[in-house]
Amino acid sequence: MQIDLGPRLDAIRGKAREVATTVTAKHAAQHDREYSMPMETLSALKDVGLLTISAPKRLGGDETGMVNLEEPLGFLLVVEELARQDMSAAHCFQVHAHTSQLLSAYGTKEQQDRWFAPLFNNGGILSWTGGEPGRTARGQYNMISEATARNDGFVLNGIKQYGTNASEGAWNVVTVSLPNMPPADGFLMLLIPRGAK
């Protein structure tokens, strides 16, 4: 069945398909062998204006996504087209874009201007580190990893299974619990710069 998406969504799909067929497909086997990041795909998405599809409009994005429900199909079309060629590349883009959505929805204007404007302008990507052993059994907000407040920030201790995009992400969102608080109340997402101790 052919669905008429309209000119804007057709253009998004066309750009995503072009990147997927000319760049993603060319490097998929290499990244599978090397367990490496699909940076060529992410760079190509930046070149065609899709890497920031979920960033705030005032920072050059389109604000599409599942979090704010602003034309979520735009974001999903990019994921779909990449996944036709390489599921891993689609996942890396999805994590970056979904994290962009969360930070756009919950970050203040000052936080967005300070941390995200340079990231989006330079084509940087975001990482997300939330997965922990046994998390499903404990509930989504009950983390083993904890953040202890200090005068100059937080000290993080715990264990994570993986962090999508962590090797290349300029910023890594890490989910933790605050000690001695109920899971939902003590759930915290911290933005950690790459290279931090």
Side-chain angles (χ1 to χ4, degrees):
M1 176 170 67
Q2 187 70 17
I3 298 174
D4 180 17
L5 298 173
R8 184 167 185 276
L9 290 174
D10 267 338
I12 290 171
R13 181 170 56 184
K15 289 178 186 179
R17 185 170 290 169
E18 178 72 15
V19 168
T21 56
T22 62
V23 179
T24 308
K26 181 178 172 183
H27 297 281
Q30 169 198 344
H31 292 304
D32 280 350
R33 280 191 311 274
E34 298 174 359
Y35 304 103
S36 53
M37 285 281 299
M39 295 308 294
E40 304 90 353
T41 292
L42 298 171
S43 178
L45 290 172
K46 178 191 182 297
D47 292 344
V48 299
L50 294 179
L51 190 61
T52 56
I53 195 167
S54 297
K57 287 182 181 176
R58 63 183 195 79
L59 298 181
D62 290 330
E63 285 186 35
T64 68
M66 306 298 290
V67 175
N68 62 10
L69 298 178
E70 290 290 328
E71 203 169 57
L73 190 53
F75 155 73
L76 294 172
L77 285 168
V78 179
V79 173
E80 179 183 49
E81 291 301 328
L82 295 176
R84 291 177 193 272
Q85 303 298 330
D86 183 2
M87 292 292 290
S88 297
H91 180 67
C92 290
F93 166 77
Q94 178 277 136
V95 166
H96 164 77
H98 196 83
T99 305
S100 297
Q101 293 172 45
L102 289 170
L103 298 176
S104 297
Y106 299 111
T108 66
K109 180 181 180 296
E110 292 77 19
Q111 290 170 330
Q112 291 175 9
D113 289 345
R114 180 177 177 187
W115 292 308
F116 310 133
L119 173 89
F120 295 140
N121 286 339
N122 296 328
I125 60 170
L126 294 162
S127 172
W128 181 275
T129 303
E132 291 185 347
R135 178 178 177 192
T136 305
R138 293 190 316 273
Q140 71 177 30
Y141 297 115
N142 196 356
M143 300 285 133
I144 295 171
S145 302
E146 290 187 337
T148 305
R150 297 266 177 98
N151 289 337
D152 60 345
F154 291 95
V155 173
L156 308 183
N157 288 296
I159 185 169
K160 298 292 183 183
Q161 292 174 312
Y162 62 89
T164 302
N165 298 342
S167 65
E168 298 292 336
W171 294 95
N172 187 8
V173 175
V174 178
T175 56
V176 295
S177 289
L178 294 172
N180 306 317
M181 292 185 75
D185 295 335
F187 181 78
L188 186 64
M189 295 185 300
L190 295 174
L191 190 62
I192 312 293
R194 188 163 93 198
K197 291 182 181 179

